[in-house]
Amino acid sequence: MEKCTSKKKGVFNASVLANEQIGECFYRLSLAIEGQAAEAFNMTKPGQFAEFELSNASLPSEEKIPNELADKALRQIILRRPFSFSDIEITGNKGKLEVLYCVLGPATLRMKTLSPGDKISIIGPLGNGFSIEREKTLAILVAGGMGVPPLLHLAKELSKSKTKTIAFVGAKSGSQLPCSEIKNVQTLISTDDGSMGFKGFVTAMLKEWLVKEKPDVSKAIIYTCGPEIMMAGVAKIAGEFGIGCQVSLERVMACGTGLCQGCAVKCIDKKTKEAGYKLCCKDGPVFWADEVVF
Amino acid sequence: MNKVDLTIDFAGLKLKSPVFTASGTCGYADELDDFMDIGRLGGFITKSITIEKRDGNPVPRIVETNSGMLNAIGLANVGVEKFIAEKLPLLKNYKTPFFVNIAGKTIDEYIAVAEKLAQFEQIAGFELNISCPNVKKGGITFGTDPQLIHQITSAVKKAGGKKILITKLTPNVTDISITAKAAIEAGTDALSMINTFTAMVIDIETRKPVLANRTGGLSGPAIKPIAVYLVNKVYNEVAKSANVPILGGGGIRSTADAVEFLIAGATAVSIGTASFIYPDTAIKIIDGIEDYCRRHKIERVGDLTGSLK
């Protein structure tokens, strides 16, 4: 997926516009960028990401740190953290980047305390995003939990074309979703506990729908982001039905820029049929499902 | 004073600044090109090259620790033939001396890589990786045994012809001056120190190591004071009297960190983990060292080396 790599990546300053809780588990951070940063992020594809420097953001005061994160709060972080975007708007030499995140560790605990006017350093745009297949008339989005954000961005891009889009969104429970529907898109929700929508895994809901609706698979494409085990399930279903599928993977990264070689993804070379490692940050994070060894 | 002389004499090579990028943290140069002017570096050390292509270790290969990180990449690299065909031609675009880091499982493998690369003018020298903690057989076993260090250093020096040879030392030994001495006696032109400390992080929920390789090499600010101490020790005990320069590094993030290494006895410094966070760290430190020298009325950066009182 080389076509959608942005060339003008760099280290940029971004200014916090807003940072607010949405729903029970998610927060939305909005950042303002300008000048060269706005230029660099102008062509950013959904699924591309940036590395955020959060080590100098402060921790919440002690009483605001949840018990289950008390130990993690004691970690001095040094590495940046990768985030993809739920939305990017660029107008002229100014732009807005939007990130949805959950507070899970020492970096996101710090991220939560950012307030309007704070400056943070970001490196981006990085990696290869979803490659929008214009000839496909049906786009099937499959998101799980924290995998929702880049698909919101993708849904917005798809809405600019004539592609019909349908979204399958799964989570453990209704309260763990960042939104109950994707704007302007037919959205089917599944929850493991049945608190909202279909009771069960999003993969089961997807399969049921494909069997029932029998879409023209030659005109359809699946874009997915979520837990790797879920995406492995989606990739398998896509294979069974003969639908092309792009997966957005996640790995622990030290740099995000191809320097550390830490974020290896086992892939099969389509020509040689040999297995080898690619890098999630440079070759991905979006891969064709049939090249990934899950 | 206006002008600070940032050039250094490094084992007979005149380098334009005392700052290198460290092996395994800067790729093969093209990855860093978007972020900085590579031509300003004193030297560039490539990721390790082995005779055959290596896929590297399974993931997780990385885990962050308090003020540091562990890596167990496992010398993932394209192999020497592909390096020559695809990466080497790109190096001509940069006006900085390139040092190729060489690794292997046997002495013969090291020799073979050095022999294949010795003919290329765009390579200034080699950094001998006898201290990678993440590869079974070889790597660190070479680096902890003075006799093996002697054998491998002299063999690669011979295979490399006129190329400068830098031997990279592991800190995972009882007395690093003994291994430094072995490398010097075998004819190394310079020492690079230190490689990472072997370390482990355990997931207490599963009671398994976090890294797939179980152990990894600790780098980052957490190791800096130990690295400064070891550079000073080797400088005082062996390197100064032998007139062998030290490329010092370990956890450098700032100008102050780099200057500490120079004062401790390093002729040049290498920037590693910090490049992951700010890819242009090395360039900022070159500028910072110049400011420091001006402030302290030091005309030549080389005068800082070993100036510890």
Side-chain angles (χ1 to χ4, degrees):
Chain A
M1 293 189 190
E2 284 125 43
K3 279 180 210 156
C4 38
T5 309
S6 191
K7 281 207 171 111
K8 281 178 266 173
K9 60 180 183 265
V11 185
F12 302 112
N13 273 321
S15 174
V16 175
L17 289 170
N19 191 15
E20 63 218 339
Q21 191 161 4
I22 51 164
E24 212 167 294
C25 297
F26 277 86
Y27 292 79
R28 177 168 44 219
L29 177 70
S30 307
L31 299 170
I33 51 169
E34 55 182 41
Q36 285 184 328
E39 204 180 308
F41 279 91
N42 193 21
M43 297 302 285
T44 306
K45 295 282 186 290
Q48 283 192 276
F49 66 101
E51 284 278 354
F52 286 49
E53 154 71 319
L54 298 163
S55 69
N56 48 14
S58 43
L59 281 169
S61 58
E62 208 179 330
E63 76 278 5
K64 285 185 184 158
I65 296 173
N67 273 339
E68 67 273 19
L69 295 179
D71 283 354
K72 288 179 175 167
L74 294 173
R75 273 258 312 282
Q76 300 298 317
I77 63 169
I78 60 161
L79 300 174
R80 289 171 181 261
R81 296 296 192 271
F83 291 93
S84 58
F85 301 96
S86 55
D87 194 16
I88 295 180
E89 279 173 33
I90 308 285
T91 323
N93 66 348
K94 287 195 159 80
K96 190 174 99 171
L97 309 174
E98 203 176 85
V99 171
L100 300 184
Y101 65 100
C102 301
V103 175
L104 293 172
T108 42
L109 260 176
R110 287 172 168 84
M111 195 161 176
K112 196 179 122 176
T113 68
L114 292 171
S115 9
D118 288 351
K119 299 270 190 294
I120 64 165
S121 165
I122 59 172
I123 299 179
L126 299 170
N128 298 296
F130 291 102
S131 151
I132 296 179
E133 303 292 301
R134 299 280 170 203
E135 75 281 12
K136 304 289 183 188
T137 52
L138 174 65
I140 302 167
L141 312 187
V142 188
M146 279 188 292
V148 173
L151 295 182
L152 295 177
H153 189 194
L154 178 63
K156 190 180 163 189
E157 283 300 305
L158 289 167
S159 71
K160 293 173 186 167
S161 66
K162 285 182 185 151
T163 314
K164 177 180 157 46
T165 305
I166 179 166
F168 296 82
V169 178
K172 281 187 180 136
S173 70
S175 63
Q176 295 194 3
L177 285 165
C179 51
S180 57
E181 61 165 357
I182 296 179
K183 209 176 159 188
N184 302 326
V185 172
Q186 182 193 353
T187 309
L188 302 174
I189 305 275
S190 74
T191 51
D192 299 359
D193 65 1
S195 56
M196 198 190 277
F198 176 93
K199 184 177 189 302
F201 290 146
V202 70
T203 42
M205 177 169 64
L206 170 69
K207 195 165 181 175
E208 222 179 84
W209 184 88
L210 288 170
V211 169
K212 201 171 140 218
E213 298 295 326
K214 297 188 182 61
D216 178 356
V217 294
S218 68
K219 300 268 173 58
I221 180 156
I222 297 176
Y223 303 102
T224 183
C225 185
E228 190 146 326
I229 190 161
M230 178 210 93
M231 289 192 286
V234 174
K236 191 163 168 263
I237 294 168
E240 283 167 19
F241 284 80
I243 305 173
C245 179
Q246 296 176 16
V247 295
S248 178
L249 299 181
E250 187 176 41
R251 287 287 182 275
V252 176
M253 294 175 184
C255 65
T257 50
L259 299 173
C260 78
Q261 312 254 316
C263 58
V265 174
K266 197 167 231 179
C267 288
I268 299 283
D269 189 303
K270 282 182 182 171
K271 282 181 204 144
T272 64
K273 306 287 173 207
E274 275 174 40
Y277 287 115
K278 288 191 171 185
L279 295 181
C280 191
C281 71
K282 262 181 82 177
D283 304 310
V286 179
F287 294 87
W288 285 104
D290 58 2
E291 68 174 325
V292 176
V293 181
F294 286 103
Chain B
M1 64 186 268
N2 299 319
K3 199 94 175 125
V4 177
D5 183 4
L6 283 179
T7 62
I8 55 161
D9 172 6
F10 189 81
L13 277 184
K14 190 174 179 182
L15 304 181
K16 65 185 91 161
S17 82
V19 181
F20 285 55
T21 47
S23 177
T25 62
C26 51
Y28 302 110
D30 48 330
E31 293 89 343
L32 272 179
D33 209 22
D34 286 320
F35 300 103
M36 68 182 200
D37 177 3
I38 288 166
R40 291 190 60 199
L41 293 171
F44 186 102
I45 306 180
T46 68
K47 172 125 191 85
S48 293
I49 303 292
T50 51
I51 189 81
E52 306 284 350
K53 163 185 187 286
R54 285 181 61 97
D55 283 336
N57 291 326
V59 291
R61 294 175 171 184
I62 298 277
V63 59
E64 191 186 45
T65 62
N66 253 322
S67 298
M69 61 172 275
L70 267 58
N71 85 80
I73 306 301
L75 300 180
N77 80 95
V78 295
V80 71
E81 295 297 349
K82 202 167 173 189
F83 172 76
I84 291 168
E86 292 177 13
K87 303 290 183 182
L88 203 56
L90 301 175
L91 303 188
K92 266 189 251 170
N93 303 332
Y94 308 105
K95 292 189 172 61
T96 198
F98 277 85
F99 295 84
V100 177
N101 183 293
I102 301 179
K105 291 195 294 290
T106 62
I107 292 184
D108 288 342
E109 285 188 10
Y110 282 89
I111 293 171
V113 177
E115 279 176 347
K116 281 184 192 294
L117 294 172
Q119 57 178 301
F120 295 102
E121 269 178 33
Q122 54 270 57
I123 298 172
F126 301 124
E127 184 182 59
L128 192 56
N129 182 357
I130 49 167
S131 50
C132 178
N134 300 323
V135 182
K136 292 177 189 82
K137 291 186 213 163
I140 206 152
T141 38
F142 288 117
T144 55
D145 182 329
Q147 270 185 317
L148 281 174
I149 291 177
H150 194 285
Q151 271 181 39
I152 196 166
T153 304
S154 49
V156 175
K157 178 70 193 158
K158 197 174 152 214
K162 286 179 183 163
K163 303 287 186 209
I164 300 285
L165 182 63
I166 309 171
T167 304
K168 188 165 189 175
L169 302 176
T170 172
N172 299 303
V173 290
T174 311
D175 185 352
I176 199 166
S177 291
I178 294 173
T179 45
K181 193 163 174 250
I184 290 171
E185 285 174 356
T188 196
D189 299 298
L191 297 170
S192 169
M193 56 185 293
I194 52 172
N195 208 322
T196 55
F197 289 85
T198 304
M200 183 188 273
V201 174
I202 296 169
D203 179 335
I204 60 166
E205 303 304 319
T206 61
R207 299 195 211 172
K208 289 177 182 168
V210 171
L211 296 177
N213 188 54
R214 300 183 74 84
T215 59
L218 176 64
S219 66
I223 69 168
K224 198 209 77 189
I226 320 177
V228 169
Y229 161 69
L230 293 174
V231 165
N232 186 239
K233 177 179 157 72
V234 166
Y235 178 73
N236 286 331
E237 293 177 7
V238 284
K240 187 184 177 188
S241 56
N243 199 25
V244 168
I246 295 172
L247 173 60
I252 297 176
R253 280 201 78 174
S254 65
T255 297
D257 293 340
V259 172
E260 274 194 59
F261 276 92
L262 298 176
I263 294 170
T267 297
V269 295
S270 61
I271 312 302
T273 302
S275 298
F276 295 158
I277 305 153
Y278 283 94
D280 57 348
T281 301
I283 301 301
K284 285 184 191 151
I285 288 177
I286 294 171
D287 292 338
I289 290 174
E290 188 174 359
D291 286 346
Y292 173 89
C293 289
R294 194 171 290 132
R295 201 151 44 82
H296 288 266
K297 305 207 176 349
I298 292 160
E299 285 173 25
R300 294 176 53 247
V301 72
D303 295 341
L304 268 177
T305 297
S307 61
L308 182 67
K309 290 177 185 167

